[in-house]
Amino acid sequence: MPKSLESSASARPDVASPATAASFKSLASTNVIKSPGWQQPNQAAPSTGRISNSATSPGAVAPANSAVGQPQPSDQDTFVQRAEHIPAGKRTPMCAHCNQVIRGPFLVALGKSWHPEEFNCAHCKNTMAYTGFVEEKGALYCELCYEKFFAPECGRCQRKILGEVINALKQTWHVSCFVCVACGKPIRNNVFHLEDGEPYCETDYYALFGTICRGCEFPIEAGDMFLEALGYTWHDTCFVCSVCCESLEGQTFFSKKDKPLCKKHAHSVNF
């Protein structure tokens, strides 16, 4: 070979062979600060996923006390409502329970009017005039009965979920409990990846564990065809001659200052 030709590995030309990306780890440090109290799921889960927001009721389970230091769920998405108290006046609405005219103070809930003594929980029959209630399957339940019989349990804090439910990794979570362990932001309905059983948002996953293509500088994702050459990793479509852009996949190639070259341009180009 001419003296002007510099090879990154040896004095001989090389051949690039493609492979399929499965799971990459970068050479960067993987010592990530993780959220306290995170509990890994008991069952194996896929390395990537999306989140479903439809709640499934697991049945009656007594609420468990969360450990010290675990984050408290936010109440901003709660399903619990409260009835509005309306004083007696000229208005005489019909009661949604007994279908009779209300001639005194009444309650308004779910767009309907109720006698205060008839606005009761469908299970325990206690009044809900001064407590929170939740509508479930067409019936109204007090907050305690809903929590006991319908609310799913959060996979992280072990508290009952009385608001928006995140379904992921075969468990249910508060929105504020299913977060990226790197940035701490809720993942919500976005794509996430698992590393050592911990969820990461897509941005942090590729920043910490992803492999970047030397050619296009975009991440090489699972399922992508890739090859390793000149000490770097490339998409199979990105490993081309630096001069004519001819694909070098499976071809003999040369290198000059870490730039791949085909046979035609190996001896005719100076960088």
Side-chain angles (χ1 to χ4, degrees):
M1 295 176 61
K3 294 182 180 180
S4 61
L5 184 62
E6 299 175 5
S7 175
S8 64
S10 65
R12 295 179 299 175
D14 207 345
V15 177
S17 299
T20 303
S23 179
F24 281 110
K25 295 184 185 297
S26 66
L27 297 180
S29 172
T30 57
N31 295 325
V32 182
I33 299 176
K34 298 181 179 179
S35 302
W38 182 264
Q39 297 182 1
Q40 297 186 11
N42 295 326
Q43 299 178 347
S47 60
T48 62
R50 280 190 179 273
I51 295 173
S52 168
N53 297 91
S54 58
T56 54
S57 301
V61 180
N65 294 325
S66 59
V68 176
Q70 291 178 335
Q72 299 300 314
S74 172
D75 293 330
Q76 62 182 355
D77 297 320
T78 181
F79 294 149
V80 179
Q81 305 179 61
R82 288 185 177 273
E84 181 182 1
H85 289 253
I86 307 297
K90 296 181 180 180
R91 182 182 171 191
T92 54
M94 300 291 289
C95 177
H97 178 76
C98 66
N99 208 30
Q100 299 295 318
V101 175
I102 305 175
R103 300 190 182 278
F106 60 95
L107 303 176
V108 173
L110 303 176
K112 300 176 182 179
S113 301
W114 315 74
H115 284 106
E117 66 274 12
E118 293 182 326
F119 190 64
N120 302 323
C121 173
H123 177 75
C124 68
K125 307 304 180 184
N126 290 332
T127 181
M128 300 184 295
Y130 301 97
T131 63
F133 71 92
V134 181
E135 183 180 17
E136 177 69 24
K137 298 179 180 179
L140 302 183
Y141 296 87
C142 67
E143 188 173 346
L144 294 179
C145 286
Y146 176 80
E147 182 177 320
K148 182 178 181 180
F149 296 108
F150 297 102
E153 187 176 275
C154 178
R156 182 181 183 187
C157 69
Q158 309 304 315
R159 291 174 175 268
K160 290 301 184 76
I161 305 172
L162 300 180
E164 182 181 355
V165 179
I166 298 296
N167 285 290
L169 307 179
K170 299 182 180 180
Q171 296 187 78
T172 51
W173 317 78
H174 289 104
V175 172
S176 57
C177 286
F178 193 72
V179 298
C180 170
V181 297
C183 65
K185 295 179 180 179
I187 296 175
R188 288 187 174 272
N189 197 36
N190 299 314
V191 173
F192 66 92
H193 299 263
L194 286 182
E195 182 66 28
D196 294 331
E198 307 281 13
Y200 291 82
C201 65
E202 196 165 24
T203 300
D204 286 325
Y205 178 81
Y206 284 120
L208 294 170
F209 309 110
T211 299
I212 303 299
C213 172
R214 173 69 173 178
C216 66
E217 298 185 350
F218 281 95
I220 297 177
E221 302 180 3
D224 288 351
M225 294 296 293
F226 74 98
L227 51 86
E228 295 180 347
L230 306 179
Y232 301 101
T233 307
W234 314 68
H235 287 109
D236 61 332
T237 55
C238 294
F239 191 64
V240 298
C241 175
S242 298
V243 177
C244 65
C245 295
E246 179 183 350
S247 175
L248 299 177
E249 178 186 338
Q251 305 295 322
T252 300
F253 68 93
F254 299 79
S255 67
K256 200 170 187 180
K257 295 184 179 179
D258 287 338
K259 294 183 181 294
L261 297 167
C262 64
K263 292 180 181 180
K264 178 180 178 181
H265 295 101
H267 309 288
S268 60
V269 176
N270 292 319
F271 288 103

